[in-house]
Amino acid sequence: MDTNQLEVWRNFLPDSTLEFLFNPLAKDVGYCVAGLFYSVFKPLVKRGIKSQAEVDKLIEESARNINEIAPDKLTTVNRGIAYKVMEDARFSISSEELRNMFAKLIADSFNDDAIDNLSPYFSTVISNLTVNDARFLRTIYNQKNQQLVYGYRRMILDDDSGVTVTHRLYMLDSNEFKDNFDVSVDTLKSLGVLNDMEKDELTAWDYRKRYQEIAVALETNPVFFKQEFANSKVNVTTSDIINGHVMLSELGQKFCKCIFENA
């Protein structure tokens, strides 16, 4: 390795990562990580598009994750995926949630045990997420069976057409109600990470109990109504409740396992 090139990398990388990245045990991987980070992020820092502090946080978190991989499991065979992850991360590292997801994926790119679950598409998914999407994804991944039940109220008009008057109301394993997941559900569906099973009710007893509690909340609590209907009264005899559930797709399960396990 050219000593001048090593010095250039050392000057770019945060001091806290130097001991690991240039450790003889991680020599090949360390050099590869250093070179990739330099080639992707140095031009952005030089042009003022990204701050050195933001990039340093991504490098530090990536190095921390890589450092937890057993030395005999370190590999550079997926360095092309690592490069793509860094490319996709360039404009999405301002938030801690998204930055940490990218860092975990970068580390998995150098982990021989993660190869079977790793896909180049995963970094594309992260690059299309908002912070709220990322938080919702972690929420559903932490639920029993990785699914959430929901219900919403629909008003039947005089011409027998229907209009949705409430947001979807979700109920977590913790028995909390949440009605702010709709946009995230749409995004994750479009990315193939989530399946939306509208009008498909789960039949297990604990889920049926949740549907009942959701129905009561939608009938009695006006806070769940959409703004345009918040000040109007909905006649329960001319409205009904639509139930369903959302669940991780097979792709979503693999993606979350890569991103959230051992993170």
Side-chain angles (χ1 to χ4, degrees):
M1 177 59 66
D2 187 332
T3 56
N4 291 330
Q5 183 63 69
L6 286 176
E7 190 61 26
V8 169
W9 290 348
R10 285 180 179 274
N11 290 335
F12 177 70
L13 298 170
D15 292 341
S16 60
T17 66
L18 295 179
E19 181 178 355
F20 162 68
L21 291 178
F22 295 101
N23 185 312
L25 291 177
K27 184 176 180 180
D28 291 340
V29 169
Y31 288 170
C32 183
V33 173
L36 289 176
F37 270 119
Y38 182 85
S39 65
V40 173
F41 288 100
K42 178 60 177 179
L44 299 180
V45 173
K46 184 177 181 180
R47 296 186 179 99
I49 298 172
K50 282 294 169 185
S51 70
Q52 184 69 53
E54 285 179 325
V55 175
D56 283 353
K57 289 177 181 177
L58 177 64
I59 298 173
E60 288 169 344
E61 184 64 16
S62 300
R64 183 189 69 79
N65 286 322
I66 295 172
N67 197 32
E68 293 177 355
I69 301 170
D72 63 326
K73 295 296 183 180
L74 289 171
T75 178
T76 60
V77 69
N78 276 331
R79 58 188 177 276
I81 292 181
Y83 179 78
K84 180 182 183 300
V85 177
M86 293 181 191
E87 287 268 291
D88 287 340
R90 289 176 299 169
F91 307 112
S92 302
I93 59 173
S94 297
S95 77
E96 182 178 4
E97 285 90 349
L98 298 178
R99 185 170 61 243
N100 288 347
M101 292 172 80
F102 278 117
K104 182 62 167 57
L105 200 53
I106 289 169
D108 281 348
S109 301
F110 295 100
N111 186 353
D112 190 59
D113 282 344
I115 288 178
D116 289 343
N117 281 323
L118 199 60
S119 167
Y121 179 62
F122 288 170
S123 59
T124 301
V125 171
I126 304 175
S127 68
N128 282 277
L129 300 182
T130 66
V131 173
N132 285 337
D133 297 336
R135 290 172 179 168
F136 170 71
L137 195 58
R138 182 181 285 275
T139 294
I140 194 169
Y141 185 67
N142 289 336
Q143 302 301 299
K144 181 178 67 174
N145 301 323
Q146 298 172 345
Q147 55 191 5
L148 283 171
V149 298
Y150 67 79
Y152 63 88
R153 181 166 286 283
R154 186 183 61 175
M155 179 189 295
I156 308 303
L157 303 180
D158 292 338
D159 61 359
D160 291 329
S161 63
V163 58
T164 302
V165 297
T166 69
H167 298 287
R168 285 185 179 187
L169 186 59
Y170 298 81
M171 193 170 186
L172 310 186
D173 287 349
S174 62
N175 294 324
E176 291 179 88
F177 288 126
K178 295 288 185 180
D179 69 339
N180 59 344
F181 290 156
D182 286 358
V183 174
S184 293
V185 167
D186 287 344
T187 298
L188 295 171
K189 277 169 48 184
S190 70
L191 293 169
V193 175
L194 196 73
N195 292 328
D196 181 5
M197 314 300 288
E198 190 172 18
K199 298 183 181 180
D200 186 351
E201 296 186 23
L202 298 175
T203 57
W205 179 85
D206 56 336
Y207 289 125
R208 296 207 62 80
K209 185 173 182 292
R210 292 183 197 183
Y211 285 127
Q212 292 171 3
E213 295 183 26
I214 288 171
V216 171
L218 290 173
E219 290 177 1
T220 60
N221 196 335
V223 73
F224 299 125
F225 280 80
K226 293 183 177 180
Q227 186 174 3
E228 59 266 37
F229 299 103
N231 297 320
S232 63
K233 292 187 177 181
V234 177
N235 188 338
V236 296
T237 63
T238 58
S239 65
D240 57 4
I241 292 177
I242 309 299
N243 291 324
H245 69 282
V246 292
M247 60 187 293
L248 291 176
S249 65
E250 185 174 345
L251 172 69
Q253 292 173 11
K254 290 184 177 181
F255 173 76
C256 288
K257 183 175 182 180
C258 236
I259 297 300
F260 295 133
E261 288 196 4
N262 302 317

